[in-house]
Amino acid sequence: EVQLQASGGGLVQAGGSLRLSCAASGFTFDDYAIGWFRQAPGKEREGVSFISSSEGRTFYADSVKGRFTISSDNAKNTVYLQMNSLKPEDTAVYYCAADDLVSDYNPLTGNGFDYWGQGTLVTVSS
């Protein structure tokens, strides 16, 4: 069974850091692209970052570029999102998702991604 588990969220003050983890199981990790998405209360889901090692592709939203870093540890089937210099506007539920690279996917919205985790809440206080 394909499963994704997002973890690492919490409450942090502006300027602080968090590291989110997305642990995958039930599939060959190297064959999938992994994306991070977030959804704030009353707002639409937006893409934050993604990594596709086999395609040699990464993506960062302009709003997080220079502050967030995505990385993967294929041996552990885990993708990380290191979030530094956090701002109150980063507050959201963060989801990780996997795409099997067979059909099209959109890292800006998450449309087309095949599997989704439950999400982890990040709250940044001012």
Side-chain angles (χ1 to χ4, degrees):
E1 181 181 1
V2 174
Q3 290 186 322
L4 297 171
Q5 179 63 54
S7 62
L11 175 64
V12 64
Q13 291 188 339
S17 298
L18 286 172
R19 188 180 73 163
L20 305 184
S21 298
C22 178
S25 62
F27 61 96
T28 303
F29 187 82
D30 291 349
D31 295 337
Y32 287 74
I34 306 295
W36 285 99
F37 304 87
R38 66 187 183 187
Q39 188 164 23
K43 297 184 178 180
E44 295 184 354
R45 185 178 64 202
E46 63 176 337
V48 177
S49 183
F50 96 106
I51 183 168
S52 176
S53 296
S54 63
E55 296 180 318
R57 297 177 61 199
T58 58
F59 162 81
Y60 293 96
D62 288 342
S63 60
V64 307
K65 201 170 298 182
R67 299 188 297 121
F68 292 9
T69 303
I70 192 169
S71 62
S72 63
D73 186 338
N74 291 338
K76 297 182 178 180
N77 270 15
T78 301
V79 169
Y80 304 96
L81 185 68
Q82 179 67 45
M83 306 186 296
N84 298 326
S85 301
L86 283 162
K87 304 175 181 180
E89 51 262 44
D90 295 318
T91 296
V93 176
Y94 284 71
Y95 301 89
C96 65
D99 187 86
D100 63 10
L101 305 178
V102 174
S103 56
D104 290 344
Y105 62 93
N106 189 338
L108 299 176
T109 64
N111 293 347
F113 278 73
D114 300 292
Y115 307 103
W116 290 83
Q118 294 175 293
T120 184
L121 176 63
V122 172
T123 303
V124 184
S125 62
S126 60

